Amino acid sequence: QLDGKTAIITIGAKMASERGVLVVNSSGNDYDLAVWNLISFPSDAENILSVGSVKSDRTKSGFSLGGPTADNRIKPEVVAMGSSTVVINDSGNITTSSGTSFSCPLVAGFAAGLWQANPNLTNVELRQLIIDSSSQANNPDNSLGNGIPNYNAAMGNILGVEEETFGDIEIYPNPFQDKLLKI
């Protein structure tokens, strides 16, 4: 039952949210199955932050599951890099891998930084701040949700300051080699 109320994991996510936890969840990698035509659980729960995956060109990863929910809410809420993401494998080597399981931790870290900057936000307010800061918040869809979150825009909303642009900044190589990172 993908109704946002029945699956045990959805009930657990809802309970955590009701207790003040910001639940950040991968949207899933089942897009090609297209059997359900709905977001999977627990992403179907209300007031959690579902995260889909994009490629480096900011387009949706082919595997990333989209929405809507059974009651027609937009899902995922946001997206982050999940295709060819640089990771450290089990052997300790730097490699790339793909999945919404790599995009979700990026947004969880994003949320932690925002919440640390303003611990008085509720989990629901924090979730909405992330959604509102995203690249297509004015025109969300069930493929990319509200788009890619923007930390500077969200921090500006918290701190009451305007976003500042520093021009082109290039960081390379990525991943860095020989303990050398150039900015």
Side-chain angles (χ1 to χ4, degrees):
Q1 299 287 331
L2 297 174
D3 60 6
K5 302 172 188 167
T6 305
I8 298 297
I9 194 166
T10 300
I11 294 168
K14 184 177 183 236
M15 289 172 66
S17 177
E18 289 170 347
R19 287 163 176 74
V21 174
L22 177 65
V23 178
V24 183
N25 185 76
S26 297
S27 68
N29 299 330
D30 299 327
Y31 187 78
D32 290 335
L33 295 178
V35 175
W36 300 334
N37 295 318
L38 298 170
I39 196 74
S40 66
F41 38 77
S43 289
D44 59 345
E46 289 189 39
N47 291 324
I48 70 155
L49 192 62
S50 177
V51 183
S53 173
V54 292
K55 299 181 274 188
S56 61
D57 65 0
R58 298 176 175 231
T59 59
K60 188 179 88 53
S61 302
F63 55 80
S64 185
L65 186 60
T69 60
D71 61 355
N72 212 29
R73 287 175 284 124
I74 297 282
K75 290 287 183 161
E77 279 84 8
V78 296
V79 292
M81 181 76 168
S83 287
S84 299
T85 305
V86 176
V87 297
I88 297 177
N89 66 15
D90 293 341
S91 303
N93 298 316
I94 296 173
T95 186
T96 60
S97 194
S98 298
T100 56
S101 56
F102 298 114
S103 58
C104 185
L106 296 174
V107 174
F110 178 92
L114 290 176
W115 218 344
Q116 185 176 9
N118 191 341
N120 295 324
L121 289 174
T122 67
N123 61 325
V124 174
E125 291 168 335
L126 177 61
R127 176 183 173 271
Q128 194 61 52
L129 180 63
I130 292 168
I131 290 169
D132 291 345
S133 78
S134 297
S135 62
Q136 61 181 44
N138 293 328
N139 191 24
D141 59 43
N142 283 308
S143 183
L144 299 176
N146 293 277
I148 301 169
N150 181 317
Y151 191 81
N152 287 334
M155 286 299 289
N157 289 341
I158 287 176
L159 301 176
V161 297
E162 296 295 317
E163 180 176 348
E164 189 169 339
T165 309
F166 296 101
D168 293 335
I169 297 175
E170 187 173 327
I171 301 174
Y172 62 96
N174 184 8
F176 68 92
Q177 302 163 352
D178 301 321
K179 299 181 182 177
L180 179 66
L181 179 65
K182 297 179 182 179
I183 300 176

